[in-house]
Amino acid sequence: MKSNNSYSIAITIAVSIISIVVIGMIFYENYISDIGAGIYLEDGKLSDAQKESIKITLDLLKTLMTWVIGVIGATAFFLKLNAEGALSIRPIDLMISFAIIILSTVSLYLGHLTVEKIAILLSLDQYPIDNEKVRQIGRFQYLTGLSSVALFGLHVFQFFWARLIFPQKNGNLKEEV
Amino acid sequence: MGKIKQRFLFLILIFSLGLVNCLPSNSIGATLFLDPGNSGFKNKKIYDNWEFLGLIGDYISLPDGDYNLIFNIPRSYKLYTKISIKGDEVKVIEHKSRPEYGVTTYKVDWPKPLAKRHAKLKGVVSLTFSPVKFGRKTGVSPMISACMAGCTKRKVILRVSSKPEDAEIWIDDEKQKFTTNTTLSLPYCTYEKTKRLVLRIPQRVNYIYDIKLSPNKKIEVICELKKPSE
């Protein structure tokens, strides 16, 4: 009965958080990240230096997007390995995994949004790298992406550290290894 | 003959660029000073039927006609002032306050704005706003839901020059990071027909222009922002 209750509460909280994140994404895309007026490109054309900086920025965005997809996969794989092994999974492990996946999803969304804004700005003959909105969204993508990677590192550390200190309670790491 | 032809071609070129000159025309009825008085409304955005005009404290020139001046105040209320301009005569026809949707409503006391000739500046009419007093709570205003709409972007190319330079550029009611003189790519949604351009330098008369939107249209605005008494 108690575990049923705890399951309902956990699912309700998780669904609420996901709903808030999704609503926040839609709101941000429609109302905050909208593109405004900007300096018109000279003759409507990009210089070679501008083309190069756009290429580098897109590469950076894609790299970070690849990283967070990797982190989502690694988190799921890490959970699977431990669930299948003898190590017990505590609620805190699941919570951290959930936070990692949420951060990664937000980072992925922001990366996608930045690329989209760059494409729109180019079609409007504006130089996108100087655009305040693009820089802001890009910075958020960078921060959420790196946070998810860092949190994943922390998760791995705390998971095994807890089992080294309290082997009886959380599963004996040495026996498993 | 060659010179006449050249001048004719030059004129065609100017018109095809959509050149706009903002020097005062005969249609201007009055120069208004939107006087904040002791109301505490200085620098609030003010609109004519939600078309941006400038900030309270600015000078604006308006042609003869009726205007519905609107601005937002704290506690989610809007103040409406209907004025009539005929020549340099300005009359306040109506004034009222209205709450936004879904907010707490109050008994509001807002004295009628006062229109009178400016004491120092010739040809300028001051419209002085009084402070608003909020009384007891009276309830909650009705709620409506906003709808979201997707939008396909197009652009106009807007060259803005002013004398003096460094005038603030406001598009609709948003202040841009850029000042004159500059060339902007101005995005708009395909369902929009016009955008309001306001050039502003404090202590000078605002320049107000409605940009007619058409994809990739080049518009040049050249403008002299005059002092109110000029």
Side-chain angles (χ1 to χ4, degrees):
Chain A
M1 191 66 183
K2 193 183 169 188
S3 63
N4 266 350
N5 263 347
S6 133
Y7 174 80
S8 306
I9 293 167
I11 290 297
T12 310
I13 292 171
V15 168
S16 307
I17 291 172
I18 289 169
S19 306
I20 290 167
V21 168
V22 170
I23 292 167
M25 284 174 178
I26 294 169
F27 183 80
Y28 187 78
E29 186 172 354
N30 281 292
Y31 294 102
I32 299 172
S33 71
D34 199 24
I35 296 294
I39 300 287
Y40 179 66
L41 284 171
E42 211 175 310
D43 300 326
K45 284 174 189 164
L46 290 164
S47 68
D48 288 343
Q50 286 173 327
K51 281 180 193 166
E52 193 60 28
S53 78
I54 292 170
K55 190 175 166 289
I56 292 168
T57 308
L58 287 174
D59 285 346
L60 272 174
L61 290 168
K62 283 180 204 162
T63 306
L64 209 58
M65 284 160 87
T66 312
W67 264 98
V68 292
I69 292 170
V71 167
I72 293 173
T75 309
F77 188 68
F78 186 68
L79 278 177
K80 182 179 175 284
L81 270 185
N82 294 309
E84 284 173 357
L87 294 178
S88 58
I89 295 171
R90 301 163 305 162
I92 186 75
D93 300 325
L94 272 179
M95 279 186 236
I96 295 175
S97 303
F98 184 66
I100 292 167
I101 290 169
I102 291 284
L103 277 172
S104 302
T105 311
V106 171
S107 177
L108 206 55
Y109 155 81
L110 291 169
H112 173 85
L113 196 63
T114 317
V115 175
E116 192 206 3
K117 296 295 172 197
I118 288 174
I120 293 173
L121 283 165
L122 285 173
S123 76
L124 296 170
D125 293 336
Q126 292 184 30
Y127 177 53
I129 310 304
D130 275 350
N131 186 279
E132 201 180 324
K133 288 277 162 60
V134 167
R135 297 186 77 87
Q136 185 192 57
I137 305 168
R139 193 182 313 122
F140 287 156
Q141 185 223 8
Y142 173 78
L143 289 174
T144 47
L146 283 192
S147 300
S148 83
V149 175
L151 197 59
F152 179 69
L154 176 77
H155 176 45
V156 174
F157 175 79
Q158 71 80 29
F159 187 90
F160 290 111
W161 189 257
R163 279 142 193 92
L164 278 175
I165 297 173
F166 310 110
Q168 294 81 11
K169 199 175 169 187
N170 298 316
N172 195 331
L173 194 59
K174 281 182 185 167
E175 281 173 16
E176 289 313 309
V177 175
Chain B
M1 190 63 189
K3 270 189 177 178
I4 293 171
K5 199 176 172 185
Q6 271 183 353
R7 281 180 189 171
F8 181 67
L9 285 172
F10 179 71
L11 279 174
I12 289 176
L13 180 73
I14 296 261
F15 281 111
S16 66
L17 281 172
L19 188 76
V20 177
N21 196 317
C22 72
L23 291 172
S25 68
N26 292 333
S27 61
I28 289 173
T31 300
L32 272 181
F33 171 49
L34 302 166
D35 183 8
N38 61 348
S39 64
F41 299 149
K42 191 168 168 58
N43 288 333
K44 289 223 172 282
K45 291 176 186 173
I46 190 160
Y47 306 82
D48 165 37
N49 279 328
W50 296 112
E51 294 281 6
F52 183 63
L53 288 177
L55 306 180
I56 294 182
D58 285 356
Y59 294 89
I60 51 171
S61 284
L62 294 171
D64 288 353
D66 290 348
Y67 297 90
N68 196 15
L69 305 180
I70 310 167
F71 57 96
N72 293 310
I73 58 165
R75 302 201 193 192
S76 304
Y77 264 74
K78 294 175 177 65
L79 299 181
Y80 294 78
T81 310
K82 194 169 182 185
I83 59 166
S84 166
I85 298 176
K86 198 174 180 185
D88 58 354
E89 290 281 317
V90 179
K91 281 182 189 168
V92 178
I93 303 168
E94 194 185 352
H95 73 294
K96 62 187 174 189
S97 63
R98 232 184 235 172
E100 284 176 15
Y101 297 104
V103 297
T104 308
T105 55
Y106 301 86
K107 190 177 185 306
V108 177
D109 177 25
W110 184 43
K112 185 178 178 178
L114 192 67
K116 63 173 184 184
R117 287 183 196 284
H118 198 286
K120 291 175 188 165
L121 301 171
K122 199 184 163 190
V124 177
V125 177
S126 294
L127 185 67
T128 309
F129 297 102
S130 307
V132 175
K133 284 177 191 161
F134 288 97
R136 62 182 169 78
K137 286 181 186 174
T138 53
V140 176
S141 59
M143 181 91 87
I144 58 159
S145 63
C147 71
M148 288 195 304
C151 149
T152 310
K153 297 270 188 194
R154 296 282 182 270
K155 68 167 187 293
V156 290
I157 298 152
L158 183 66
R159 166 90 193 141
V160 201
S161 314
S162 72
K163 194 182 164 190
E165 287 184 24
D166 262 346
E168 293 172 6
I169 301 172
W170 291 70
I171 292 169
D172 287 337
D173 60 353
E174 276 183 40
K175 186 181 173 185
Q176 305 298 310
K177 285 180 300 176
F178 324 100
T179 54
T180 57
N181 303 338
T182 188
T183 305
L184 297 175
S185 159
L186 174 63
Y188 64 92
C189 294
T190 43
Y191 58 78
E192 291 177 286
K193 299 290 173 222
T194 60
K195 270 190 185 283
R196 172 63 60 98
L197 170 75
V198 173
L199 302 182
R200 177 181 183 270
I201 294 178
Q203 302 306 314
R204 287 179 183 261
V205 180
N206 289 3
Y207 169 62
I208 300 164
Y209 175 68
D210 285 325
I211 304 161
K212 290 189 178 67
L213 302 168
S214 169
N216 298 320
K217 188 180 175 185
K218 288 180 181 171
I219 300 166
E220 183 152 10
V221 175
I222 303 169
C223 178
E224 187 178 350
L225 293 168
K226 294 200 164 193
K227 289 182 177 167
S229 52
E230 278 181 352

